[in-house]
Amino acid sequence: MSDKKTGGLAGVIAGESAICTVGQGSGLNYRGYSIEDLAAHATFEEVAYLLQYGELPNLATLNTYKKKLIAARSLPEKLKTILENIPKTAHPMDVMRTGCSALGTLEPEDDFTTEQDRVIVRLLGIFPSILLYWHHFHNAGVRIDTHSEQDTIAGYFLEKLHNTSPREDQIRCMHVSLILYAEHEFNASTFAARICASTLSDTYSTITTGISVLRGPLHGGANEAAMKLIDSFANEEEATKGVYEMLEKKQLLMGFGHRVYGLGGDPRSPIIKSWSKKLGGDTATFRISETIEAIMKKEKPQLPTNADFFSASAYRFLNIPTDYFTPVFIMSRTTGWAAHVKEQRANNKLIRPSSEYNGPDNREYIALDKR
Ligand code: SDX
């Protein structure tokens, strides 16, 4: 079937899944639970468990899961050495990709049918440690340890980043963001991870694939690019002038538009925007963000703010460095990638579509000395 008109497999149903509904009229749901309910009432660990195992945990199961995630924060000595040898100038997404791959060599997964859940928990637990060990070693010459009284990924990440106990509202905002970013059906990085799983590759390889794809500014990298856009304006007046100039030049405004969501908007955006407003609603950054949003609403209503636009200011108000925004996306989306990898493995068929050929007709070979 040719998709020349739209490209990028837009509108193509590329398989079945029981994990998430996106843009199907019933809202954004993870295994039947609405994102609004999960963001209002759940912790990220509950949602991670739901995605990994298919059901929300009860208290006892959740506590056991959290204990495993806490134990999974530890860094092998050889991985610390590798992180110390990754240059300070490296992109943090490359640090995460390398850390994931390196761990796969130090703690190999011999058989995913029996070890996939162990590896998934290990990666969820260690990803904040990987980023922040590298960060503090290269920025302060400090080798952090992974001990913390914080019993959630949200609290652990913020505490280890800032070396101070985060406020409850900051931790809650982090939980909400991690929940919102966790899963989103056949998005580019998730579908790539499924393709990797369909060849019977190992779990580290599927997650490394997801990281590599998420890195691009048209996908996960958009939250960092949106922050740079917002930061490029000193005030609302400059933002108004600048956005109209960008629209005039047909330039992309990062954090806007979505392959699936159109006029109805991205249901994640109002939720994270409300948290951005809670933490920094009286700042120029928030006012500039709202100015950009209002212009796009007026001039390009078919390009709503996606999950990334107000995630940018929310992360700024959590004092997360801009180029760590997409690594945080990994800490969350590893749960979605893992859910899809497990689902693909459970009923696998190698994913191998066909292309519509538009190259040269068959032709005779010409010897080198005749060309
Ligand atoms: C994520 O798929 C998912 O679910 C992804 C995600 C998830 O949770 O996994 O939701 C996370 O990746 C969200 C998207 C983050 N990316 C950005 O914010 C980057 C900016 N957005 C655009 O690059 C774009 O909107 C896409 C890539 C997100 C979607 O693009 P499509 O569906 O391929 O649409 P398109 O590029 O064909 O655009 C259609 C028209 C074009 O104009 P024309 O050529 O028809 O004149 O809309 C224009 C585009 O130029 N357009 C934009 C725009 N996005 C599309 N113009 C200005 N700014 C934008 N952001």
Side-chain angles (χ1 to χ4, degrees):
M1 167 188 141
S2 156
D3 65 352
K4 267 203 201 78
K5 198 170 45 58
T6 51
L9 299 183
V12 170
I13 303 289
E16 284 188 14
S17 175
I19 301 167
C20 174
T21 57
V22 171
Q24 294 174 16
S26 54
L28 174 53
N29 302 289
Y30 299 166
R31 299 198 191 275
Y33 294 98
S34 79
I35 196 69
E36 289 77 12
D37 282 350
L38 294 171
H41 308 298
T43 60
F44 174 60
E45 279 72 11
E46 290 173 75
V47 173
Y49 187 92
L50 170 68
L51 289 168
Q52 186 169 352
Y53 295 105
E55 296 296 338
L56 282 171
N58 60 28
L59 185 59
T61 313
L62 178 62
N63 287 336
T64 303
Y65 189 58
K66 286 171 71 173
K67 284 196 180 88
K68 286 179 183 172
L69 288 169
I70 290 166
R73 293 171 179 171
S74 66
L75 288 164
E77 288 307 314
K78 287 180 178 170
L79 184 55
K80 291 178 184 176
T81 305
I82 290 167
L83 294 171
E84 292 175 18
N85 283 284
I86 296 176
K88 177 179 182 177
T89 53
H91 191 294
M93 286 296 280
D94 300 345
V95 176
M96 300 292 273
R97 190 188 65 219
T98 306
C100 179
S101 288
L103 187 67
T105 67
L106 301 173
E107 298 177 6
E109 179 190 59
D110 299 324
D111 175 0
F112 64 68
T113 59
T114 54
E115 295 183 270
Q116 62 183 354
D117 283 313
R118 173 187 67 77
V119 173
I120 291 162
V121 167
R122 182 65 165 129
L123 288 170
L124 279 172
I126 203 173
F127 271 146
S129 304
I130 286 173
L131 179 67
L132 297 176
Y133 184 90
W134 173 81
H135 166 80
H136 288 295
F137 179 79
H138 287 288
N139 288 283
V142 171
R143 292 182 169 88
I144 62 167
D145 67 32
T146 56
H147 174 74
S148 167
E149 294 305 312
Q150 295 289 337
D151 67 349
T152 65
I153 289 168
Y156 175 64
F157 174 74
L158 291 175
E159 180 191 77
K160 283 298 174 188
L161 174 59
H162 299 308
N163 287 323
T164 181
S165 287
R167 299 193 318 260
E168 280 312 309
D169 62 337
Q170 293 171 323
I171 295 175
R172 186 62 208 155
C173 176
M174 199 67 203
H175 273 284
V176 169
S177 173
L178 292 170
I179 291 168
L180 294 176
Y181 267 147
E183 157 61 6
H184 215 234
E185 198 220 43
F186 280 9
N187 62 83
S189 55
T190 299
F191 194 62
R194 285 192 80 125
I195 293 171
C196 185
S198 80
T199 69
L200 302 186
S201 191
D202 69 292
T203 304
Y204 292 102
S205 296
T206 64
I207 303 301
T208 304
T209 301
I211 294 172
S212 304
V213 175
L214 189 74
R215 188 184 194 285
L218 292 190
H219 188 17
N223 53 21
E224 295 179 11
M227 193 72 253
K228 287 170 185 148
L229 170 71
I230 296 158
D231 281 343
S232 68
F233 304 125
N235 53 47
E236 295 100 297
E237 294 68 38
E238 257 190 44
T240 302
K241 183 169 173 295
V243 168
Y244 276 104
E245 282 170 2
M246 289 178 76
L247 290 175
E248 188 61 33
K249 294 176 193 157
K250 278 196 162 296
Q251 288 174 333
L252 287 184
L253 281 94
M254 308 312 264
F256 289 90
H258 195 278
R259 172 58 56 79
V260 177
Y261 297 127
L263 292 168
D266 182 333
R268 299 169 294 183
S269 187
I271 300 171
I272 195 62
K273 179 181 176 181
S274 71
W275 275 95
S276 175
K277 186 169 187 173
K278 270 189 192 92
L279 295 177
D282 57 349
T283 64
T285 295
F286 187 80
R287 287 194 299 274
I288 289 166
S289 301
E290 283 205 301
T291 299
I292 298 170
E293 180 191 38
I295 295 170
M296 289 298 279
K297 239 180 213 154
K298 178 166 168 277
E299 304 298 337
K300 295 273 183 184
Q302 75 280 22
L303 301 174
T305 53
N306 55 49
D308 294 308
F309 188 70
F310 281 101
S311 293
S313 49
Y315 285 1
R316 170 60 53 84
F317 301 144
L318 292 173
N319 299 311
I320 298 171
T322 300
D323 55 0
Y324 292 6
F325 288 8
T326 315
V328 172
F329 200 153
I330 294 174
M331 294 173 198
S332 166
R333 188 54 61 90
T334 295
T335 58
W337 293 332
H340 282 269
V341 162
K342 287 183 71 177
E343 184 179 65
Q344 181 67 35
R345 285 170 172 166
N347 181 19
N348 189 46
K349 181 85 177 154
L350 177 70
I351 298 175
R352 197 276 187 220
S354 296
S355 78
E356 188 173 277
Y357 179 72
N358 61 12
D361 294 338
N362 289 7
R363 46 188 170 166
E364 291 300 313
Y365 177 80
I366 301 165
L368 184 56
D369 58 3
K370 298 275 184 299
R371 279 178 244 155

